[in-house]
Amino acid sequence: IDAALGNMPHGLSMFDASERLLVSNSRYREMYNLTDEQVRPGTPLSRILRDYKNGSEGTDFSIEGFSQGARERTPDIVTLADGRIISIVRTPMPGGGWVATHEDITEKRRGEALLAENVAELKRTNERFDIAISNMSQGLCLFDADRRLAISNSRYQKMYSLPDELVVRGTPLSRILKFYEDRGDIGDGDSDNQVRLISTDQSQHYEPADGRKIFIQRKPLPDGGWVATHEDVTDRKLGEQLLVEKAAELERINVRFDAALNNMSHGLCMFDAEQKVVVSNARYGEIYRLSRDQTKPGTPLRQILEYRREMGTNFGVAPETYLELNVKTANEVHELADGRVVAISRHPMPNGGWLTTHEDITDRARNEKRIAFLAQHDLLTGLANRALFSEKLEDAARRLARHGTTFTVLMLDLDKFKNVNDTLGHPAGDQLLVEVAQRLRASLRDTDVLARLGGDEFAIIQENEKNQSEGAIALALRIIGIIEQPFDLGGHRVGVGTSIGIAFAPEHGADIEELLKKADIALYAAKSGGRNDFRVFQPELTEAADTQKSMEGELRAALSRGEFELHYQPVIDVKTRRVCGAEAFVRWRHPSRGLLDADQFLPLAESTGLMLPLGDWILQRACMDAAAWPPHVRIAVNISAVQVSKGNLFDVVLCALVDSGLSPERLELEISDTSILEKDQAAHLVTIRQLKNIGTSIVLDSFGAGYSSSSYLTGFPFDKIKIDKSVTQGSASRRDCAAVVASVLALARGLDIATAAKGVESSAQFEAIRIAGVDLVQGYLFGRPVPHSELEFNVVIPPVRDVA
């Protein structure tokens, strides 16, 4: 309800029968500038009205009238002291009282008034147009692109003695020409010539059969039609023919000049020596929002500047200054008061005047700014990019050299960011980066520099700290605290962390590249030490970082050299105490460090993108080994989130089964809930159903930890639930863990799903799990993971003993 009220576009208030406030929303408080204290539930309406009255000096608001209107529960329109118009609609409630909605209709009323003015102005314009064409001395007609009459005046009809039915809107030109032909004004075939002439803008002398001479001028229209004027020049003397021809030629020249002038992409205006307009084109008026009358010849430049001030298109300089420098400056760029940018070029004239061209370069200027911004900023977050960060570092280094001003470099890397991309998709990852950038901005001072260097890597320059070390550590702790707060990504609550590496200048050097390298080494140490922490560079970290990076290269080579191997831990049937399956665990037979457990290299494989090929190899190798086992023994293989989100898991599994000859019924794929957390759960469900259709079993791994939710059990067709190690090991000594086990078993029985518990290490744990009713167990109590050659199946597990 709070969320609904808080997001209402209208103010809302509810009063009981005694006119005391029951509830109101934030929009109601904002509308009347009231505080939370002034609108506490139980506050009388009269007090609220007095508080508003006291807070709005000069208001004509009537407290008594409003109170009476509230009791009568009638709609009301109220004008506030600041001119806003509020519509209040009250709805009575059973038992007395009312609910009122308050809507600010100020803009609506203004819009209605403006619309009425526009309609009236349009009507006046149409009336003027009708009067103008009706009083023309020339005949006028306008045809559309389909050669149908659109407009004509009475002079046109009288000139050609046209009947009324031929001068109505929509009459085809062919009918009018046919009328001429039938009357004998034009001969057979001449109508075709008339049709050809209409598509041109040339003048025409037309002589009807009665001997009159009519001068016709046509102008093509942009939509394909044309407008024509018809002038009867019969009474002109023959001796004036030469003058007419010269005038026509001059008219044609003027038309061409006007066309050329008014079709320029630049505005043009010429001034004489007295700073008065000689000529200007339409584009000049458009740029500065001036009418033709305001830029007509003879208009002083000073007057044009005054017109522009009224239209909001003046320059950011005083008129007197502009008038004085106007002729002296050849080229300049001005930003107009409305935000547009205009480039002006001036060319002096021999008589003391000058010619100016004006180009609106707003889009170009914005694009140039945008390009300059993008060249130095990250497109996704808007932060400084690596190039700008390097410039800022160089500036800090120069201040250090000149003034001894110390500075600190902090390198940040998000923890678990890859999991977000793998489980929720890249759009969610982008959203996370944007929100991280916003939190980082909020934690820094204006003098600090924040940049995104790429991926999930950020960097900060901190300067002017009294105690350099204390300031950097305080900032690092503050950042860790704000980043570890959960993020809401499209309805998914996600938690990440951040690892931070710190290097001081000049303590760790003043060379930019060296400082970045040392901060990066400290960052690597923070990530290797458990993540979500910070490290200050120490010389000994260099060797550790080199070792870690060397291991990354060795890990890539290990796949091609075949240094990985699988160990198998037996799975025990609780009732028979016999081995009924085994789970595959990957190990790395390192050339110099010996046998490494998965937790020593899998995180590195995930961060370097090697988890996908390694996971595919594990699946293929496990199926090959299991094909030689007794037919009742099943093989369990863990599937990573990367394999699930890749989209080809079904093909990989099918190939592994075909190549090994293993029956699909003997393969169990263990999938954690994080692997199916991304938005495209429908695609994952299709894959799981495909795998089940061929007989493969699907197991929900590590239930009871992380994101575990019973909704996955009802939404996905799992065959087995595997209880997490942390829950299993607490089942014998902790009531909460025992309760989780009992809940899982009850849920599994209801869904007809098998249960397994991993991590059993003591007899007490096994006994608690057995009594609870778990079907399968595994753990050190029954055997550690061993190589394939050492795995035994035809044994019965004796009474169990605690692991030493």
Side-chain angles (χ1 to χ4, degrees):
I1 292 175
D2 288 342
L5 293 178
N7 285 278
M8 284 180 62
H10 300 163
L12 181 140
S13 62
M14 182 184 296
F15 291 86
D16 59 19
S18 60
E19 296 189 358
R20 291 182 176 273
L21 183 66
L22 294 176
V23 68
S24 66
N25 65 355
S26 58
R27 180 59 182 148
Y28 175 78
R29 297 190 293 275
E30 293 169 0
M31 191 172 289
Y32 298 108
N33 297 321
L34 297 172
T35 65
D36 292 345
E37 179 65 24
Q38 290 172 325
V39 292
R40 287 187 308 170
T43 303
L45 172 62
S46 58
R47 183 181 301 169
I48 294 176
L49 294 174
R50 282 197 299 274
D51 288 343
Y52 172 76
K53 180 77 173 181
N54 294 336
S56 303
E57 183 177 352
T59 181
D60 57 358
F61 195 91
S62 171
I63 295 178
E64 294 75 12
F66 186 85
S67 178
Q68 180 63 29
R71 288 193 294 274
E72 293 176 357
R73 306 182 184 91
T74 58
D76 201 0
I77 301 296
V78 176
T79 301
L80 303 184
D82 56 6
R84 288 181 295 136
I85 303 173
I86 307 298
S87 173
I88 306 173
V89 178
R90 306 179 183 87
T91 304
M93 297 190 301
W98 67 92
V99 177
T101 58
H102 303 249
E103 179 186 2
D104 189 332
I105 61 171
T106 308
E107 294 301 323
K108 179 179 178 182
R109 288 295 180 87
R110 291 174 181 169
E112 292 171 351
L114 181 59
L115 178 60
E117 291 177 4
N118 290 339
V119 170
E121 180 60 27
L122 180 59
K123 182 178 179 181
R124 288 192 295 271
T125 300
N126 288 336
E127 291 173 350
R128 294 176 189 141
F129 176 75
D130 289 340
I131 293 172
I133 66 170
S134 297
N135 287 278
M136 287 178 62
S137 61
Q138 298 172 325
L140 181 141
C141 60
L142 186 150
F143 288 86
D144 60 23
D146 295 326
R147 299 177 179 174
R148 292 181 178 273
L149 185 65
I151 298 173
S152 67
N153 63 359
S154 57
R155 178 60 180 156
Y156 173 74
Q157 181 181 4
K158 292 177 181 178
M159 187 176 290
Y160 296 106
S161 302
L162 297 174
D164 292 342
E165 61 268 18
L166 289 184
V167 289
V168 296
R169 183 180 181 88
T171 302
L173 173 64
S174 58
R175 284 191 59 192
I176 298 176
L177 294 177
K178 185 66 168 60
F179 176 80
Y180 293 162
E181 188 174 319
D182 292 343
R183 198 170 60 183
D185 287 345
I186 58 176
D188 293 342
D190 286 351
S191 59
D192 294 335
N193 185 48
Q194 296 293 326
V195 172
R196 285 193 296 273
L197 285 172
I198 65 172
S199 60
T200 70
D201 62 349
Q202 60 183 294
S203 303
Q204 177 190 3
H205 287 88
Y206 171 60
E207 296 186 9
D210 59 7
R212 286 179 300 141
K213 295 181 181 180
I214 297 176
F215 182 63
I216 304 174
Q217 288 182 296
R218 298 183 182 88
K219 291 285 186 179
L221 299 177
D223 61 358
W226 71 95
V227 63
T229 57
H230 301 249
E231 183 180 2
D232 190 336
V233 295
T234 307
D235 295 336
R236 291 181 183 176
K237 296 178 180 181
L238 186 61
E240 298 174 344
Q241 185 63 35
L242 181 60
L243 180 61
V244 171
E245 291 176 358
K246 290 183 178 180
E249 180 64 22
L250 181 61
E251 176 67 15
R252 286 193 290 272
I253 293 173
N254 288 337
V255 168
R256 296 188 189 109
F257 177 75
D258 289 341
L261 198 63
N262 291 312
N263 282 280
M264 290 178 59
S265 60
H266 293 20
L268 179 145
C269 191
M270 181 186 294
F271 294 91
D272 59 22
E274 297 178 354
Q275 296 191 342
K276 292 182 178 181
V277 174
V278 176
V279 66
S280 67
N281 67 355
R283 182 58 182 152
Y284 177 78
E286 291 172 3
I287 290 177
Y288 298 109
R289 298 173 183 165
L290 303 176
S291 67
R292 294 295 294 175
D293 187 61
Q294 291 173 322
T295 59
K296 65 184 178 181
T299 304
L301 174 59
R302 183 183 298 277
Q303 184 63 53
I304 289 179
L305 295 178
E306 180 61 26
Y307 289 148
R308 283 170 46 186
R309 184 190 64 78
E310 296 172 358
M311 299 303 299
T313 58
N314 56 315
F315 297 142
V317 297
E320 295 300 330
T321 303
Y322 184 78
L323 289 169
E324 181 181 349
L325 300 177
N326 190 53
V327 186
K328 300 178 181 178
T329 306
N331 299 288
E332 60 184 347
V333 175
H334 283 288
E335 182 173 349
L336 305 186
D338 61 4
R340 289 181 296 129
V341 181
V342 177
I344 302 175
S345 297
R346 297 186 182 87
H347 308 277
M349 304 294 288
N351 61 358
W354 71 95
L355 176 69
T356 63
T357 58
H358 304 250
E359 181 183 5
D360 188 333
I361 61 169
T362 306
D363 291 339
R364 186 202 309 170
R366 287 174 181 169
N367 289 337
E368 290 173 353
K369 289 182 180 179
R370 179 66 175 165
I371 292 172
F373 179 85
L374 292 178
Q376 295 188 318
H377 291 80
D378 174 50
L379 184 61
L380 177 64
T381 63
L383 300 180
N385 61 11
R386 188 180 293 273
L388 181 56
F389 185 76
S390 298
E391 291 181 12
K392 297 296 184 181
L393 270 178
E394 292 174 357
D395 292 342
R398 283 192 287 268
R399 286 191 291 272
L400 173 63
R402 294 172 183 172
H403 311 295
T405 306
T406 61
F407 65 93
T408 303
V409 178
L410 296 90
M411 301 287 285
L412 290 71
D413 203 34
L414 297 183
D415 302 328
K416 304 178 183 177
F417 175 73
K418 188 174 183 299
N419 290 343
V420 175
N421 270 342
D422 291 342
T423 58
L424 299 181
H426 290 284
D430 289 346
Q431 182 186 350
L432 175 61
L433 291 173
V434 171
E435 294 191 17
V436 165
Q438 292 173 349
R439 292 189 186 184
L440 289 175
R441 277 196 194 98
S443 68
L444 300 178
R445 304 168 303 179
D446 293 339
T447 56
D448 296 330
V449 177
L450 172 63
R452 180 188 175 209
L453 304 185
D456 61 336
E457 186 179 4
F458 297 84
I460 296 172
I461 304 173
Q462 186 186 46
E463 204 170 1
N464 295 322
E465 284 291 328
K466 292 181 179 180
N467 187 308
Q468 189 178 11
S469 176
E470 290 181 1
I473 293 174
L475 176 58
L477 291 174
R478 186 163 65 251
I479 290 173
I480 292 171
I482 63 172
I483 298 300
E484 67 183 1
Q485 298 300 316
F487 292 84
D488 185 356
L489 305 179
H492 294 282
R493 192 175 175 84
V494 174
V496 297
T498 183
S499 299
I500 304 175
I502 302 173
F504 299 128
E507 179 180 340
H508 298 137
D511 180 74
I512 301 303
E513 294 300 326
E514 190 66 21
L515 277 173
L516 290 174
K517 180 179 179 181
K518 290 179 178 179
D520 195 48
I521 289 173
L523 170 62
Y524 212 84
K527 295 179 73 70
S528 302
R531 302 173 182 264
N532 204 34
D533 200 358
F534 72 90
R535 291 287 187 278
V536 177
F537 174 78
Q538 300 294 335
E540 57 268 20
L541 294 180
T542 303
E543 183 178 352
D546 292 341
T547 301
Q548 187 74 0
K549 290 184 178 179
S550 174
M551 187 174 178
E552 179 181 333
E554 293 174 353
L555 182 62
R556 294 183 181 276
L559 270 172
S560 59
R561 291 199 295 257
E563 295 177 358
F564 295 101
E565 58 186 63
L566 295 184
H567 286 199
Y568 299 93
Q569 185 178 45
V571 178
I572 311 301
D573 187 310
V574 173
K575 293 181 179 179
T576 64
R577 297 199 179 185
R578 289 182 178 274
V579 176
C580 62
E583 181 178 353
F585 293 90
V586 66
R587 300 288 185 263
W588 182 7
R589 185 71 65 177
H590 193 278
S592 59
R593 300 175 61 189
L595 190 66
L596 301 181
D597 286 341
D599 59 359
Q600 294 178 276
F601 61 87
L602 280 188
L604 185 60
E606 292 177 352
S607 64
T608 55
L610 295 176
M611 194 63 237
L612 186 61
L614 180 58
D616 292 349
W617 177 86
I618 292 171
L619 181 62
Q620 294 169 353
R621 182 70 263 167
C623 290
M624 286 288 186
D625 290 344
W629 296 353
H632 70 281
V633 179
R634 301 164 68 89
I635 175 65
V637 180
N638 284 280
I639 300 298
S640 69
V642 177
Q643 290 173 283
V644 175
S645 62
K646 182 67 175 177
N648 65 340
L649 179 60
F650 176 76
D651 297 333
V652 173
V653 171
L654 195 60
C655 289
L657 292 172
V658 171
D659 292 343
S660 64
L662 182 70
S663 171
E665 289 77 11
R666 294 178 57 198
L667 175 62
E668 293 182 350
L669 300 177
E670 297 190 356
I671 302 176
S672 65
D673 49 8
T674 56
S675 300
I676 56 177
L677 264 178
E678 64 175 291
K679 294 181 179 178
D680 197 9
Q681 294 184 9
H684 296 165
L685 181 59
V686 171
T687 301
I688 290 176
R689 285 176 174 167
Q690 288 176 326
L691 293 169
K692 283 182 64 65
N693 286 341
I694 64 174
T696 304
S697 297
I698 307 298
V699 180
L700 179 59
D701 192 22
S702 300
F703 192 81
Y707 295 98
S708 296
S709 170
S710 59
S711 63
Y712 301 125
L713 298 176
T714 57
F716 290 83
F718 292 107
D719 299 286
K720 183 189 297 183
I721 305 173
K722 182 170 281 190
I723 301 172
D724 188 68
K725 175 181 178 180
S726 62
V727 177
T728 299
Q729 294 182 349
S731 59
S733 57
R734 293 173 51 183
R735 292 178 60 187
D736 55 347
C737 291
V740 171
V741 172
S743 299
V744 172
L745 290 170
L747 183 60
R749 293 190 189 102
L751 297 173
D752 194 22
I753 298 175
T755 55
K758 61 181 184 180
V760 179
E761 297 183 357
S762 71
S763 296
Q765 294 169 5
F766 173 71
E767 191 63 19
I769 291 295
R770 183 189 67 79
I771 294 173
V774 173
D775 302 310
L776 307 169
V777 293
Q778 67 184 93
Y780 290 170
L781 184 63
F782 309 102
R784 296 175 180 270
V786 296
H788 179 241
S789 60
E790 300 177 18
L791 185 62
E792 297 183 10
F793 303 105
N794 298 321
V795 294
V796 178
I797 304 300
V800 294
R801 297 177 300 170
D802 290 352
V803 178

